[in-house]
Amino acid sequence: MSLLRFGVTLLLFAYSLGEPGSFSVDYENDCFRKDGEVFRYISGSIHYNRIPRVYWKDRLLKMYMAGLNAIQTYIPWNYHEESPGRYSFSGDKDLEYFLQLAQDIGLLVILRPGPYICGEWDMGGLPAWLLNKKDIVLRSSDPDYITSVDKWMGKLLPMIKPYLYQNGGPIITVQVENEYGSYFACDYNYMRHLTKLFRSHLGDDLVLFTTDGAGLGFLKCGSIQDLYATVDFGPGGNVTAAFEAQRHAEPHGPLVNSEFYTGWLDHWGSPHSVVSTTRVAKSLNEILSMGANVNLYMFIGGTNFGYWNGANTPFAPQPTSYDYDAPLSEAGDLTEKYFALREVIKMYRKIPEGPIPPTTPKFAYGTVVMKQLQTVSDALEVLSFSGPVKSMYPQTFIELNQAFGYVLYRTRLPVDCSTPTPLSSPLNGVHDRAYVSVEGVSAGILERNRVISVNVTGKSGSQVDILVENMGRINYGKSINDFKGLVSNLTLGADTLLGWTMYSLSIDEAVSQGLLGETKPTAPPAPAALSLPAFYGGSFIIPDGIPDLPQDTYIKLPQWRKGQVWINGFNLGRYWPSRGPQVTLFVPANILTTAAPNNVTVLELEEAPCSSGTCSVEFTTTPILNATVQSDLKQHRRLFTLDDLK
């Protein structure tokens, strides 16, 4: 780059960011000060990693028009560094573009770069490759963990420094770690190290803060000197008591609720969470009437595309939708809650004039006929780019250098099993779901914490295939070091199964490259409770020349049970209508095209509806996130209640 061009670039960058300002905590007057003036933020959470880049502007504008003067976002480490030293900040991962867009719209930014974020995101944003050291103590002073954190922050923090408010950017505060008081380690040296690390990269003038539950037990390990302590709590509780907990850690300074819950998260097999608009509006009014700063978590939830969803303990994975019953729906639609909260905010600050961007139109593309392609076992040559790995005992995903998706484990029956014989995981080592077949016939499903044994029959030497699905790593609590695959030995009767061949599956690459072929016609299989995990394909055309097409839509899979779906090679995420509550998956218009047929690929893991005739998927205009479910699961990570404030 020439000196002249470099100079012009610097000038343009400085101009786009704006004039430097000041942002600080005023301990004497219990407030923030922005450019010397008393300041209170009313913010909303938006996760850029859950929204296609083409929709960032629409969602941010709707937040601005609701009366918010700031947004809050996480930075998921694993989203940007999926393998060590290989960073991605382009396309949907263009963090700098997102920050600039927020500023251009008129929104300040509260940044939460972790390294741990929780956020119902795989492993709380920590990259799975950290588990290459099996006994690593995450979120602690463990030297290997600290070394990786230092490298990551050495890449990330200098990138965001120009976007700090005092440098002319939108970022007014930066959070260090996340709800550390809820973690077992309680390692003050770790928090001190992070504080020094952030200060070394970002300077001493920046307001750094922590967030913890509104209870003294949470704040004990979560707050530390030089980081301003804030709390989080949802609607319906005692607001005064919650802020009294913050006052225990911060006797003076602004009152801050960093996560005021507008809704709540979902789990497969549990009812869709709904928090009443009246309850949220009433509590928000109470918070604002006290002069407090607040961030509405979430203002828009978005989507866990691909494999990015997290899980809670005891193991309960979250679905693809992260709708959260937020003021803006998963698809960015305006809701009753949006307008109700806007009316509350209007009581405390001037609302921008002008029209609110409308809900994006949806289009029902109708029914798409699907035909069977190959089974997973038949497609191994094109799915397993790296080839087979042989071992006496099964290896985990991490040992196989695979973070997400599926691995096929193959062995043989060592003895004749003429009568049903239990194939078991006695140590509950199936992480997380395993689809078992013997000689090409489905035998059953093993599932973490739920089903640890299935009966099999077959002759000695019969091939046993076990397709193991990683359903999302635990993102909260002490069990975030969540290894995937067969993490302990399987037994046949009383004997340990030995002699494994394992195939890492690069399914996303195979789908996007169109490598899956059709299966040659064979005699119809005998009716069975389960079918082999297999791929199905179909396509539909969106006519060219019709104004405003393509548009957003939702895909529904009637009579399909569980699997993964791709459109034009884009991994929409998991479907599991047989367990619910989510039935439809959001399909953003940007992945569709009018220039060529739109290809739909489904990996059905349990039982496709094709054996009884033609099978199909359907595109509709209406989301279904609240299907009736029957479950023995208890709610995980409950909302804070009055007892937490004592």
Side-chain angles (χ1 to χ4, degrees):
M1 182 183 289
S2 70
L3 284 175
L4 176 61
R5 186 178 164 203
F6 180 70
V8 170
T9 302
L10 278 181
L11 281 171
L12 288 173
F13 187 67
Y15 176 77
S16 64
L17 284 179
E19 293 298 319
S22 65
F23 192 88
S24 61
V25 173
D26 182 343
Y27 289 96
E28 289 187 10
N29 296 290
D30 297 336
C31 65
F32 287 118
R33 287 200 178 268
K34 176 173 164 283
D35 300 326
E37 301 293 325
V38 173
F39 179 79
R40 185 251 291 275
Y41 66 71
I42 304 174
S43 170
S45 283
I46 173 174
H47 298 160
Y48 63 92
N49 46 299
R50 286 185 159 118
I51 299 168
R53 172 183 173 135
V54 295
Y55 281 137
W56 289 349
K57 185 175 182 179
D58 173 80
R59 310 310 193 245
L60 290 170
L61 274 171
K62 287 170 179 168
M63 296 175 78
Y64 177 76
M65 293 305 295
L68 303 181
N69 57 5
I71 61 162
Q72 186 194 84
T73 194
Y74 284 130
I75 300 177
W77 179 3
N78 55 6
Y79 190 60
H80 295 286
E81 191 183 3
E82 291 194 52
S83 57
R86 297 183 64 181
Y87 304 105
S88 178
F89 287 96
S90 61
D92 287 345
K93 302 182 181 185
D94 193 341
L95 172 62
E96 291 186 78
Y97 177 77
F98 179 78
L99 295 173
Q100 183 64 64
L101 196 56
Q103 182 171 29
D104 292 345
I105 287 169
L107 292 161
L108 298 167
V109 175
I110 299 158
L111 201 63
R112 311 173 87 185
Y116 164 83
I117 64 166
C118 185
E120 291 72 65
W121 190 256
D122 186 85
M123 206 163 143
L126 299 176
W129 49 260
L130 290 170
L131 300 178
N132 279 314
K133 180 190 177 185
K134 288 186 179 180
D135 60 349
I136 194 169
V137 183
L138 301 170
R139 305 178 69 194
S140 80
S141 298
D142 181 301
D144 294 286
Y145 176 70
I146 290 294
T147 297
S148 295
V149 168
D150 288 353
K151 287 179 182 176
W152 163 238
M153 290 299 172
K155 171 69 176 179
L156 176 66
L157 297 182
M159 184 185 301
I160 68 172
K161 185 175 182 179
Y163 295 90
L164 301 181
Y165 188 73
Q166 54 265 46
N167 295 330
I171 300 170
I172 52 173
T173 61
V174 174
Q175 181 178 300
V176 178
E177 246 278 347
N178 187 63
E179 294 182 333
Y180 193 65
S182 301
Y183 192 58
F184 76 93
C186 197
D187 185 340
Y188 292 112
N189 287 332
Y190 166 57
M191 290 298 289
R192 290 188 190 102
H193 177 85
L194 289 183
T195 303
K196 290 178 182 176
L197 180 64
F198 278 51
R199 289 279 179 224
S200 68
H201 286 294
L202 301 178
D204 296 328
D205 298 333
L206 175 66
V207 176
L208 297 177
F209 73 100
T210 60
T211 299
D212 284 285
L216 303 188
F218 299 117
L219 286 158
K220 178 184 175 184
C221 293
S223 58
I224 194 168
Q225 189 176 355
D226 195 33
L227 304 178
Y228 191 76
T230 74
V231 292
D232 52 27
F233 58 91
N238 186 326
V239 173
T240 301
F243 281 132
E244 282 176 0
Q246 186 195 356
R247 279 287 174 247
H248 184 83
E250 297 288 356
H252 295 285
L255 296 175
V256 181
N257 182 349
S258 289
E259 290 187 9
F260 172 65
Y261 304 112
T262 62
W264 199 243
L265 57 128
D266 287 346
H267 297 97
W268 290 117
S270 294
H272 175 55
S273 296
V274 176
V275 179
S276 82
T277 294
T278 302
R279 190 176 173 207
V280 175
K282 183 179 178 182
S283 287
L284 176 62
N285 184 44
E286 191 175 351
I287 290 169
L288 294 178
S289 70
M290 297 176 68
N293 299 262
V294 64
N295 174 71
L296 285 74
Y297 187 103
M298 298 294 296
F299 203 86
I300 175 171
T303 309
N304 297 313
F305 293 116
Y307 310 111
W308 286 114
N309 67 277
N312 278 306
T313 51
F315 187 73
Q318 293 120 19
T320 301
S321 173
Y322 195 63
D323 179 84
Y324 213 84
D325 194 32
L328 291 173
S329 77
E330 174 183 12
D333 296 350
L334 303 168
T335 68
E336 175 194 355
K337 189 175 287 185
Y338 174 93
F339 290 104
L341 299 185
R342 187 173 186 260
E343 288 302 308
V344 174
I345 294 168
K346 190 185 290 185
M347 296 163 57
Y348 296 93
R349 71 182 303 265
K350 183 175 171 57
I351 297 283
E353 295 179 359
I356 301 169
T359 289
T360 53
K362 312 297 185 293
F363 195 87
Y365 298 102
T367 299
V368 177
V369 175
M370 304 292 286
K371 57 186 176 184
Q372 183 171 340
L373 305 176
Q374 294 169 288
T375 65
V376 170
S377 295
D378 288 341
L380 272 184
E381 282 191 20
V382 296
L383 294 177
S384 184
F385 291 6
S386 56
V389 173
K390 295 182 183 294
S391 174
M392 183 70 73
Y393 302 103
Q395 297 183 5
T396 66
F397 273 45
I398 290 299
E399 288 170 324
L400 295 168
N401 197 33
Q402 179 159 342
F404 300 105
Y406 306 82
V407 168
L408 184 75
Y409 293 79
R410 177 171 285 174
T411 187
R412 295 191 176 275
L413 293 179
V415 294
D416 281 333
C417 298
S418 53
T419 58
T421 306
L423 187 152
S424 307
S425 177
L427 299 179
N428 191 28
V430 172
H431 287 195
D432 301 305
R433 215 155 189 266
Y435 307 89
V436 182
S437 65
V438 179
E439 286 296 322
V441 177
S442 294
I445 299 170
L446 300 171
E447 185 174 350
R448 183 174 180 172
N449 293 352
R450 285 171 168 257
V451 182
I452 63 169
S453 184
V454 297
N455 286 329
V456 299
T457 57
K459 296 180 179 179
S460 176
S462 293
Q463 180 174 290
V464 179
D465 280 357
I466 303 175
L467 181 68
V468 178
E469 177 187 8
N470 166 3
M471 290 184 57
R473 290 182 182 81
I474 292 167
N475 59 263
Y476 178 81
K478 65 182 180 180
S479 302
I480 54 174
N481 54 336
D482 189 10
F483 291 87
K484 297 301 185 182
L486 298 182
V487 303
S488 61
N489 291 328
L490 298 189
T491 58
L492 184 68
D495 300 323
T496 299
L497 283 171
L498 305 173
W500 292 89
T501 303
M502 291 149 290
Y503 298 84
S504 292
L505 304 183
S506 304
I507 295 177
D508 289 79
E509 290 80 359
V511 170
S512 62
Q513 295 174 28
L515 301 180
L516 298 168
E518 288 187 51
T519 304
K520 292 179 181 178
T522 58
L530 296 169
S531 54
L532 291 175
F535 295 95
Y536 299 80
S539 66
F540 64 101
I541 293 173
I542 301 175
D544 197 3
I546 299 179
D548 302 324
L549 286 184
Q551 291 175 351
D552 295 346
T553 187
Y554 298 91
I555 187 171
K556 184 179 179 182
L557 297 99
Q559 307 306 313
W560 302 73
R561 292 185 57 83
K562 186 183 193 306
Q564 203 92 20
V565 59
W566 294 258
I567 295 183
N568 294 331
F570 180 86
N571 190 336
L572 281 180
R574 310 172 203 271
Y575 66 90
W576 202 355
S578 61
R579 187 163 291 185
Q582 180 178 2
V583 172
T584 58
L585 274 68
F586 174 55
V587 182
N590 62 289
I591 68 169
L592 303 174
T593 181
T594 59
N598 292 272
N599 294 313
V600 182
T601 306
V602 171
L603 169 58
E604 170 59 46
L605 299 165
E606 295 186 5
E607 183 186 9
C610 306
S611 57
S612 57
T614 303
C615 52
S616 61
V617 300
E618 180 185 339
F619 289 92
T620 178
T621 58
T622 308
I624 304 173
L625 301 178
N626 59 347
T628 302
V629 292
Q630 292 183 334
S631 172
D632 56 1
L633 289 174
K634 297 177 182 177
Q635 180 165 332
H636 303 260
R637 284 203 66 201
R638 58 185 169 76
L639 294 164
F640 290 111
T641 64
L642 190 58
D643 291 337
D644 294 310
L645 309 177
K646 295 176 181 176

